[in-house]
């Protein structure tokens, strides 16, 4: 049973909330819902997108391949976020890849319903601009972090970010499990360095681990490290 955009609570989190009833109905009539398995790609860097993806469930990592063949994860897109918006509006190929971190459900919304509404509805256009401006700000923060914080600080910050944004499970581990390689790609370091620093954090009693899973033991110490104390 396909859900209708008009009744979808998730649209409150993105620019679709500025659409009128009629516009939403149009989107709903043309969209398709897809299930994406963990590790599968939604789109690849350099793809030409014929629409955008609204995340209904799950998490996607948006990454860029650097010249040395390493992925840099730029953003984790979660429930309610629209991905592919920039390249559809700019009419450019995608500059990032989107891969499912866990099992996902996404709605694919064809380009036409988006561009048509952009021309007709200034409230929607403003919302889209706001979301893009927010993404730009986040990208700026990432650049500053990369250049001004040590790898240890960035890994501590990534662990805190995962807790604050995705929460913890009943056993006290981070609810979203990223591989060591993904963590290294978020902070922009070699996987070996990430592994070494994570075990150092464990030895110091900042975190506890079980396989890939990480849990926070001493949040204050992690925060102090990030703030440079």
């Amino acid at each position: 049973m396909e859900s209708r955009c008009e009744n979808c609570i998730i649209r409150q989190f993105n620019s679709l909330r500025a659409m009128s009833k009629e516009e939403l109905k149009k989107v709903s009539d043309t969209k398709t819902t897809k299930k994406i398995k963990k590790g599968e790609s939604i789109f690849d860097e350099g793809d030409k997108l014929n629409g955008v993806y609204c995340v209904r469930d799950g998490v996607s990592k948006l990454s860029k391949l650097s010249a040395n063949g390493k992925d840099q994860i730029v953003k984790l897109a979660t429930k309610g976020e629209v991905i592919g918006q920039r390249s559809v509006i700019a009419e450019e190929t995608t500059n990032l890849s989107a891969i499912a971190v866990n099992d996902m459900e996404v709605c694919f919304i064809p380009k036409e319903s988006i561009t048509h509404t952009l021309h007709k509805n200034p409230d929607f256009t403003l919302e889209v601009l706001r979301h893009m401006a927010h993404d730009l700000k986040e990208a700026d923060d990432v650049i500053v972090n990369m250049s001004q914080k040590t790898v240890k600080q960035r890994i501590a910050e990534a662990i805190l970010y995962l807790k604050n944004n995705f929460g913890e499970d009943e056993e006290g581990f981070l609810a979203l499990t990223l591989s060591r390689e993904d963590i290294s790609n978020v902070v922009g370091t070699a996987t070996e360095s990430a592994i070494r620093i994570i075990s150092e954090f464990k030895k110091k009693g900042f975190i506890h681990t079980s396989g890939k899973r990480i849990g926070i033991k001493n949040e204050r110490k992690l925060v102090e490290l990030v703030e440079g104390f």
Side-chain angles (χ1 to χ4, degrees):
M1 161 73 186
E2 288 266 316
S3 74
R4 301 284 305 170
C5 298
E6 301 93 309
N7 314 328
C8 178
I9 190 127
I10 289 166
R11 73 183 165 84
Q12 292 310 327
F13 301 123
N14 61 45
S15 37
L16 297 181
R17 67 175 166 211
M19 284 190 173
S20 69
K21 277 242 164 26
E22 294 69 47
E23 288 161 345
L24 271 175
K25 187 182 178 309
K26 202 177 214 142
V27 167
S28 215
D29 291 341
T30 56
K31 76 168 176 70
T32 48
T33 304
K34 300 180 175 187
K35 288 206 184 299
I36 292 163
K37 286 257 169 281
K38 175 181 174 171
E40 284 181 359
S41 94
I42 302 170
F43 55 77
D44 294 311
E45 198 174 324
D47 281 357
K48 186 128 187 63
L49 295 187
N50 298 316
V52 299
Y53 295 86
C54 179
V55 180
R56 266 182 70 80
D57 202 19
V59 180
S60 164
K61 55 181 179 184
L62 300 175
S63 64
K64 191 161 183 59
L65 200 58
S66 63
N68 64 5
K70 191 165 167 59
D71 270 317
Q72 173 66 51
I73 295 175
V74 178
K75 184 184 166 86
L76 293 171
T78 58
K79 199 180 204 155
E81 295 199 53
V82 175
I83 50 183
Q85 210 163 229
R86 191 205 64 82
S87 47
V88 164
I89 290 168
E91 297 189 340
E92 295 175 354
T93 57
T94 59
N95 64 329
L96 303 171
S97 299
I99 292 169
V101 174
N102 47 20
D103 288 350
M104 293 183 75
E105 194 177 325
V106 298
C107 292
F108 175 74
I109 302 167
K111 187 176 169 173
E112 292 65 43
S113 1
I114 300 288
T115 45
H116 176 79
T117 312
L118 277 173
H119 287 300
K120 294 271 188 285
N121 178 343
D123 290 341
F124 176 66
T125 311
L126 190 61
E127 274 294 317
V128 169
L129 276 174
R130 277 199 189 114
H131 282 273
M132 287 191 166
H134 177 74
D135 282 348
L136 272 176
K137 178 179 173 293
E138 281 192 342
D140 290 343
D141 291 345
V142 167
I143 293 167
V144 170
N145 256 348
M146 286 284 189
S147 57
Q148 295 183 356
K149 289 190 172 144
T150 65
V151 176
K152 270 183 201 172
Q153 285 176 310
R154 300 202 301 264
I155 288 182
E157 195 166 38
I159 293 170
L160 292 167
Y161 172 87
L162 289 172
K163 179 190 179 224
N164 296 334
N165 287 273
F166 303 100
E168 296 171 314
D169 63 19
E170 50 283 354
E171 295 174 72
F173 290 103
L174 298 172
L176 181 69
T177 303
L178 291 183
S179 68
R180 300 297 186 257
E181 186 181 3
D182 277 346
I183 291 173
S184 75
N185 291 346
V186 166
V187 301
T189 189
T191 307
E192 301 70 44
S193 305
I195 292 170
R196 196 175 60 246
I197 290 166
I198 288 167
S199 34
E200 186 186 318
F201 285 177
K202 188 181 176 177
K203 277 198 194 84
K204 288 183 169 168
F206 297 176
I207 60 172
H208 57 110
T209 63
S210 166
K212 269 189 197 172
R213 295 152 82 208
I214 293 175
I216 295 177
K217 256 170 106 169
N218 191 335
E219 187 164 349
R220 196 175 58 85
K221 284 287 190 205
L222 287 174
V223 171
E224 284 176 0
L225 175 61
V226 172
E227 289 171 357
F229 292 121

